[in-house]
Amino acid sequence: MSKILLLQGNQAVVEGAIAAGVKFFGGYPITPSTEIAESLAERLPLVGGKFIQMEDEIASMGAIIGASLTGKKVMTATSGPGFSLKQELIGYACAAEIPLVIVNVQRVGPSTGQPTSPSQGDIMQARWGTHGDHWLIAITPASVPECFELTLRAYALSEKYRVPVILLMDEVIGHMREKIELPDNYDEIPQAERKQPDCAPADFKAYAADESLVPPMPPFGNGYRWHVTGLVHDETGFPKGAGSATKAAADRQYHKLYDHLDDIVQVENYCMEDAEYAIVAFGGAARTAYEAVDMARKEGIKAGLLRPITIWPFAENEIQKLAGKVKGILVHELNRGQYVYEVERAAAGKVPVYSYAKYDNEPATPAQLLAEFKKAMAL
Amino acid sequence: MKYELRLSGTGGQGLILAGIILAEAALLDEKLAIQSQSYGPEARGGASKSEVIIADEVIHFPKVTKPNLLLAMSQEAAAKYSHDLDQDSILITDSLFVKDVPAFGGKVYELPITHSAKEELGKGLFANIVALGALVKLTGIVTEASLVKAVLNRVPKGTEEANKKALTVGMNLIK
């Protein structure tokens, strides 16, 4: 049985978190993500979970890393200023391979920026916000139902690959309310499971991986003892200064994700079958793009939308294929131009790539996007 | 069918809640609806708007671009949010607050929304529900049964009768 509700994107994330089995949230509320903390504070105690409002965003990351080490599914939620503060420990979570989910409901930045206005300005920060070579996953919902589904998916990916997953939202999707159909109870929703060691505690090597390259991760307090560090470590988990250890750690952390792009990278194709011109847009900006494509089609223009759902790793193959198929690509994003350079790189000069960057507090209307699209494609 | 409404006024007048109730009433009618809002950093005061789109088919873009109806419950909102009205649009104002009605060539209903809430219910805070009663009576955009149900789903326990009366007061403002 299911129920039909009118929910905000942020509230659908909370439902997704409860359905995924999240038992711990450590956070510090910030607009436009506050509803996530607010609702989880209410919901978590009812399912045997814990909610802690920490003293700041850095401590929030520390808290969820610790809670994840005990075997729980964990979440924190924030917006740009908090996301900046979390970066140091996001790097730690990458290095120590701690599964966790960070929700970033983007607002206009940099710094305090425009707290209540939508933006997609943290695209590159989601990938490269923390220092050093590192690999993680970022996914972006474009509807309220997708907020629920992608929250579940964030845990599936995070637990499977032992990697931080960023649910990269924006204010448009976080705050709008639309129809969602949710199951009456979440008991039948499959729960993502962390791989467990099949050896005795005495033989356990914390970072020894099989061919999946993902090491098993027993919860603390269960007899398996291991050392967790942000220093480069070998398979014992203890720091190792050798160059070969640095290279081995980086290679394994890269390949554990990038050998599985088919499993990780998702895009939606809208009206793409016979499309001659494409818009690439994601999250809140995609909502404008669907309608602009519909309007273009009514004018007889064969337009389509490629919507990256997985933002990182980048949809390399999908954009390459797109560049081989259409006459031009327009990237529409709510920032001054970030993702467009990735698309341009993957298109590799095969077709012209244009940018419609919008960064004035308001999402583009479909008519504005259509006008920019026609201008770019000289239609 | 696609109908776009913008409910605007001052932060604290309950217009975001009014938008949510209207969208939920539309879902009860088995239509689709999207509600979105925009507001400044203030919790009270400052121009605030809540937008609702009701349609039979999927709604992609969540913001209002061609308002069929604007509700303005403050002078600032009437000025700020009326720029895209056209001759087919309807403007409802709260006559207690909006003295200077913007000219746009369409129909205007100057209604004593807050005044009636105070007079007949004893509290101005019912103004948002009075306004919903009036705009649904005027447009028929959701059924009255769904509107009542949606209001009762959202209001605090013990205030059901007063809110039902507020809807009736609003409906009676439309002759």
Side-chain angles (χ1 to χ4, degrees):
Chain A
M1 286 299 286
S2 64
K3 52 186 181 278
I4 288 171
L5 298 167
L6 181 83
L7 284 190
Q8 273 192 325
N10 284 346
Q11 294 167 320
V13 169
V14 168
E15 294 305 317
I18 298 294
V22 170
K23 289 291 185 286
F24 183 84
F25 180 96
Y28 191 86
I30 178 170
T31 299
S33 75
T34 304
E35 295 81 6
I36 297 174
E38 187 184 5
S39 298
L40 277 173
E42 232 172 73
R43 298 291 301 279
L44 275 175
L46 303 176
V47 295
K50 293 267 187 272
F51 173 97
I52 303 185
Q53 178 165 329
M54 297 298 292
E55 67 267 35
D56 63 29
E57 285 89 345
I58 304 173
S60 307
M61 271 306 295
I64 66 166
I65 287 172
S68 180
L69 284 166
T70 71
K72 304 295 185 201
K73 294 196 181 77
V74 301
M75 175 178 272
T76 190
T78 191
S79 187
F83 196 49
S84 290
L85 290 171
K86 289 180 193 291
Q87 292 302 330
E88 179 186 348
L89 285 174
I90 291 174
Y92 184 94
C94 289
E97 300 175 68
I98 313 291
L100 46 84
V101 174
I102 302 143
V103 187
N104 174 13
V105 188
Q106 297 166 89
R107 66 190 218 184
V108 174
S111 190
T112 323
Q114 298 273 17
T116 59
S117 298
S119 168
Q120 298 175 322
D122 306 347
I123 295 299
M124 299 311 289
Q125 186 190 24
R127 178 66 189 88
W128 293 114
T130 197
H131 61 275
D133 273 338
H134 63 278
W135 299 274
L136 45 63
I137 295 171
I139 52 181
T140 290
S143 72
V144 169
E146 206 175 59
C147 287
F148 179 80
E149 291 152 21
L150 287 192
T151 302
L152 285 172
R153 181 164 165 77
Y155 286 95
L157 292 169
S158 178
E159 297 290 329
K160 180 173 179 183
Y161 293 106
R162 275 191 72 174
V163 70
V165 174
I166 295 160
L167 188 63
L168 194 59
M169 313 248 297
D170 54 60
E171 193 274 346
V172 176
I173 303 300
H175 273 167
M176 83 180 187
R177 289 179 174 85
E178 70 183 333
K179 181 180 160 180
I180 180 173
E181 195 167 345
L182 289 175
D184 271 335
N185 78 60
Y186 297 147
D187 295 346
E188 283 169 21
I189 289 178
Q191 302 286 296
E193 298 214 13
R194 222 170 265 184
K195 197 196 309 173
Q196 294 302 312
D198 50 15
C199 62
D203 303 325
F204 179 60
K205 282 184 183 164
Y207 290 91
D210 60 13
E211 68 282 356
S212 75
L213 305 182
V214 181
M217 184 175 168
F220 268 70
N222 242 13
Y224 291 85
R225 303 199 317 204
W226 49 295
H227 184 246
V228 188
T229 178
L231 285 165
V232 171
H233 43 271
D234 64 10
E235 62 179 22
T236 67
F238 286 98
K240 185 92 173 180
S244 57
T246 309
K247 185 168 187 306
D251 284 342
R252 186 174 58 72
Q253 287 173 29
Y254 170 85
H255 285 292
K256 77 172 179 177
L257 292 183
Y258 282 70
D259 289 356
H260 301 282
L261 292 184
D262 286 350
D263 183 41
I264 296 169
V265 174
Q266 289 186 325
V267 302
E268 184 200 1
N269 286 296
Y270 180 75
C271 298
M272 279 308 303
E273 303 78 33
D274 61 342
E276 293 176 356
Y277 304 92
I279 298 174
V280 171
F282 44 83
R287 301 295 292 235
T288 304
Y290 291 114
E291 205 161 315
V293 165
D294 290 349
M295 289 161 75
R297 289 267 166 180
K298 275 186 196 143
E299 293 183 18
I301 300 168
K302 288 189 173 171
L305 166 67
L306 185 143
R307 176 172 71 90
I309 297 168
T310 310
I311 298 294
W312 305 113
F314 183 68
E316 198 84 33
N317 295 335
E318 290 73 8
I319 298 294
Q320 278 170 13
K321 271 186 221 149
L322 181 70
K325 173 180 160 79
V326 296
K327 297 175 187 166
I329 300 171
L330 177 76
V331 180
H332 170 50
E333 53 191 323
L334 301 177
N335 56 51
R336 208 177 180 284
Q338 296 189 16
Y339 204 72
V340 61
Y341 297 111
E342 286 294 303
V343 174
E344 204 170 71
R345 182 182 57 71
K350 270 195 251 172
V351 288
V353 175
Y354 306 98
S355 168
Y356 176 34
K358 186 91 165 38
Y359 45 100
D360 60 358
N361 291 3
E362 296 287 340
T365 64
Q368 285 172 325
L369 175 54
L370 179 62
E372 293 289 331
F373 183 69
K374 284 159 73 175
K375 196 170 86 188
M377 307 299 168
L379 294 168
Chain B
M1 188 282 294
K2 185 176 180 187
Y3 201 85
E4 306 189 22
L5 305 100
R6 184 179 295 141
L7 315 182
S8 68
T10 302
Q13 279 180 320
L15 292 164
I16 290 176
L17 178 62
I20 295 169
I21 288 171
L22 195 58
E24 288 181 336
L27 293 193
L28 291 172
D29 283 343
E30 296 186 351
K31 288 182 175 155
L32 292 173
I34 287 192
Q35 183 271 344
S36 68
Q37 59 216 26
S38 106
Y39 52 90
E42 312 92 339
R44 299 277 182 281
S48 144
K49 70 171 170 176
S50 173
E51 295 188 332
V52 182
I53 304 175
I54 297 171
D56 293 320
E57 289 178 356
V58 59
I59 307 160
H60 291 303
F61 187 59
K63 308 280 179 182
V64 165
T65 53
K66 281 174 71 75
N68 298 92
L69 183 144
L70 170 68
L71 167 72
M73 297 201 27
S74 77
Q75 185 65 59
E76 189 190 353
K80 190 170 173 182
Y81 299 126
S82 57
H83 58 93
D84 52 3
L85 297 180
D86 64 24
Q87 59 194 21
D88 299 323
S89 311
I90 295 169
L91 170 64
I92 299 177
T93 66
D94 187 327
S95 55
L96 184 65
F97 302 115
V98 182
K99 302 298 175 200
D100 188 6
V101 177
F104 62 96
K107 271 195 180 153
V108 180
Y109 295 82
E110 295 180 74
L111 305 178
I113 294 167
T114 300
H115 178 79
S116 306
K118 283 180 181 162
E119 287 291 303
E120 302 199 37
L121 298 143
K123 277 182 190 158
L125 68 80
F126 288 103
N128 58 345
I129 306 297
V130 173
L132 277 180
L135 81 81
V136 167
K137 176 84 179 182
L138 186 64
T139 63
I141 192 60
V142 297
T143 60
E144 291 180 13
S146 294
L147 179 64
V148 171
K149 206 172 160 193
V151 167
L152 296 185
N153 282 342
R154 278 281 174 181
V155 299
K157 281 208 165 51
T159 67
E160 291 90 346
E161 286 313 307
N163 277 292
K164 274 201 240 172
K165 191 176 168 199
L167 283 178
T168 308
V169 167
M171 287 177 182
N172 290 341
L173 294 177
I174 304 296
K175 301 287 172 347

